[in-house]
Amino acid sequence: MQSGHEPVRPKWNCRECGLEWPCEYARRELTADFVRFPTSFAIYMAHCYSQALHDSPSLEALPPDLWTRFMGWLPRS
Ligand SMILES: [Zn+2]
C-alpha cells in the first residue's frame, strides 16, 4: 500500500482518511495488491483481525461487526 490508507493501532482507523480500516480506498488497494494471491490475502486479513482483537481492551469493547469488517468483504474465489 502506497497511498497512506494504513491502519493506526490500537483503534484500527485509517491514517489517511480517519475511517475504520480497511476503508474503501484500502480495500481497493489491498484487492489489487493481492489479486493473484487470494490465500495470502485471507491470511493477511485474518492476521490483522487477530491483532485488532488483541488491541481491544476487553471483550465488551469489541465492535460486534469486527469479523465482517476485516473478513466479510474478501473476494470469494
Ligand atoms: Zn483511508
Side-chain angles (χ1 to χ4, degrees):
M1 303 236 304
Q2 283 103 42
S3 68
H5 290 266
E6 296 170 353
V8 179
R9 293 172 73 177
K11 291 206 171 291
W12 288 84
N13 286 341
C14 176
R15 181 183 310 280
E16 186 72 20
C17 63
L19 299 174
E20 290 184 341
W21 192 89
C23 63
E24 201 55 47
Y25 201 99
R27 289 181 186 202
R28 256 185 280 142
E29 271 202 340
L30 287 163
T31 302
D33 286 351
F34 283 100
V35 68
R36 294 179 57 215
F37 312 100
T39 305
S40 299
F41 193 5
I43 292 168
Y44 173 75
M45 289 309 299
H47 176 69
C48 293
Y49 173 69
S50 79
Q51 287 187 314
L53 285 178
H54 188 77
D55 286 345
S56 180
S58 68
L59 278 179
E60 291 74 28
L62 280 175
D65 59 346
L66 200 65
W67 172 263
T68 304
R69 173 175 156 190
F70 281 86
M71 303 302 295
W73 61 278
L74 293 180
R76 307 271 178 236
S77 53

